[in-house]
Amino acid sequence: MTIPATPRQAALDTLLELVTSRLEAALDLTATAAREEGLAELARLCADLQVLTAAAILVRER
């Protein structure tokens, strides 16, 4: 049985979805630029953050 979301929870979910989407886009652009500029450590950091963001999305969707 699914419990209906309150308006507040629905708003928070929407906000989290928007923030996550923008974070993913920013990390993707930063990682691409870092690779192009030869900044391997920054590219690795972005890749790590992309994995953590994807994991957070999966946890949120459960």
Side-chain angles (χ1 to χ4, degrees):
M1 181 172 142
T2 306
I3 298 172
T6 64
R8 181 177 187 272
Q9 185 61 48
L12 288 172
D13 288 346
T14 300
L15 179 59
L16 183 57
E17 187 175 318
L18 289 170
V19 168
T20 303
S21 173
R22 299 308 296 164
L23 176 60
E24 288 176 310
L27 286 171
D28 186 49
L29 288 172
T30 303
T32 299
R35 283 191 300 275
E36 289 173 357
E37 295 297 321
L39 302 171
E41 185 63 29
L42 180 57
R44 278 192 297 275
L45 177 61
C46 287
D48 289 347
L49 289 171
Q50 286 170 318
V51 169
L52 292 171
T53 302
I57 291 168
L58 289 174
V59 168
R60 183 187 76 213
E61 291 176 353
R62 287 185 142 213

